[in-house]
Amino acid sequence: MRPGWRYAKAAVTGTRHVAEGRGCEDFAAARLIGTVRGNVFAACVCDGAGSSSHAATGAKVAAEAFLTVASDRLRDAGGVISETDLGDFLSYAALAVTLRAFTEKQPARDYASTLVAALVADTWSAFVQIGDGAIVVPSAEGRWELVFEPQRGTYANETYFLTDEDARQRAHVGLRSYGVAEVSLFSDGLERLLIREAAGSSVADAFFNEMLPAVRESSAAGEDLVLANALAAYLSSEAINARTDDDKSLILASRLAPLQRVAGDAASAGEHQHAASD
């Protein structure tokens, strides 16, 4: 089965965490899920809460659990998905974190993290988000657009986390009736660079227009580890660190053969997104 996608991912420690003697509390994961209807690209970025003592562990457990349950469900269901499934995946990831906390005799809030995830097949795209960070896809006009606005809490620097009791109700869920050709996910450490708040939360098109060609031209089947190393080095560079001192995660993905679609299809295709419910 052809891989269907090329992608690169990286998660690097911010300079503030280095100065504080802390490691990276972001975690980025991606995989190709083989189903009877073809491959599904799956990606997830989790950002551990800075106030949580086991933030790095929580982010890793959450991302891996989300992708594991998504893989199992998609294979069992023959490559189809529903909004209820997306809510279930989120709940399963939260349960995995809670169980990890229980086994280590710690409160679940000490493992808190945000979560953004994308699942993309040939004929559909699914997205879910709790907290800040973002998912970006190409728009019908050939630019880049946010799938959801990053979630903000009542106060500055406040957001929502997977371990919150009402996480499933607060989560944003989107299911589109077409497969996007490219997708990027990133943690809030890159929001200042990649989202222009003053322009109505528009995306910094130039960044993705400069970064995606390397992924499109990659000869790798699936993950490009050489490109991933280069991406990590770039995210750790002085130019980036001068603008953000937080941990930074980024996943860039592109189809091997982008779907041929009539101009405007993305705008007219049925899509809906709202807060997930039980």
Side-chain angles (χ1 to χ4, degrees):
M1 185 180 291
R2 297 183 67 238
W5 288 79
R6 295 186 180 100
Y7 64 93
K9 59 181 173 65
V12 302
T13 308
T15 54
R16 173 161 43 89
H17 282 198
V18 172
E20 295 171 351
R22 296 157 58 191
C24 183
E25 294 172 347
D26 279 10
F27 192 82
R31 66 178 65 170
L32 294 164
I33 304 169
T35 78
V36 294
R37 287 182 171 83
N39 282 314
V40 176
F41 175 70
C44 186
V45 167
C46 292
D47 177 6
S51 59
S52 297
S53 57
H54 298 279
T57 298
K60 184 176 187 294
V61 170
E64 292 181 339
F66 185 94
L67 295 187
T68 295
V69 69
S71 299
D72 292 344
R73 183 74 63 85
L74 283 167
R75 292 189 180 108
D76 291 344
V80 297
I81 200 171
S82 69
E83 288 188 350
T84 299
D85 289 329
L86 294 174
D88 289 346
F89 300 165
L90 199 69
S91 295
Y92 180 89
L95 177 60
V97 173
T98 300
L99 289 175
R100 180 63 172 266
F102 178 79
T103 60
E104 297 182 353
K105 297 180 173 56
Q106 301 293 330
R109 63 178 178 273
D110 286 352
Y111 297 75
S113 77
T114 63
L115 182 148
V116 293
L119 303 166
V120 186
D122 288 345
T123 57
W124 55 262
S125 306
F127 309 99
V128 62
Q129 176 162 352
I130 178 69
D132 48 24
I135 309 165
V136 175
V137 296
S139 70
E141 294 76 28
R143 304 191 65 178
W144 296 91
E145 65 179 10
L146 290 169
V147 175
F148 308 114
E149 291 281 340
Q151 292 184 332
R152 309 295 188 195
T154 305
Y155 305 101
N157 297 319
E158 183 182 60
T159 188
Y160 306 117
F161 299 107
L162 181 65
T163 49
D164 293 347
E165 290 186 0
D166 59 351
R168 181 160 177 166
Q169 287 71 40
R170 287 189 180 278
H172 290 314
V173 169
L175 186 60
R176 304 187 180 191
S177 59
Y178 59 91
V180 296
E182 295 180 322
V183 63
S184 176
L185 297 81
F186 53 91
S187 63
D188 77 319
L190 289 172
E191 284 184 20
R192 292 182 183 177
L193 286 74
L194 304 185
I195 300 176
R196 294 188 293 263
E197 298 286 354
S201 295
S202 63
V203 178
D205 290 320
F207 178 89
F208 295 99
N209 290 338
E210 292 173 3
M211 299 295 286
L212 261 299
V215 181
R216 295 171 192 150
E217 296 163 8
S218 168
S219 59
E223 184 174 11
D224 188 326
L225 297 178
V226 174
L227 190 57
N229 289 333
L231 184 60
Y234 174 69
L235 294 179
S236 299
S237 67
E238 291 185 9
I240 299 298
N241 286 335
R243 301 181 64 184
T244 174
D245 62 358
D246 199 1
D247 294 341
K248 300 167 284 290
S249 292
L250 178 63
I251 299 176
L252 301 167
S254 180
R255 288 184 185 272
L256 286 171
L259 297 178
Q260 298 300 313
R261 307 189 53 226
V262 178
D265 276 358
S268 61
E271 65 179 78
H272 48 285
Q273 54 193 52
H274 53 72
S277 60
D278 289 330

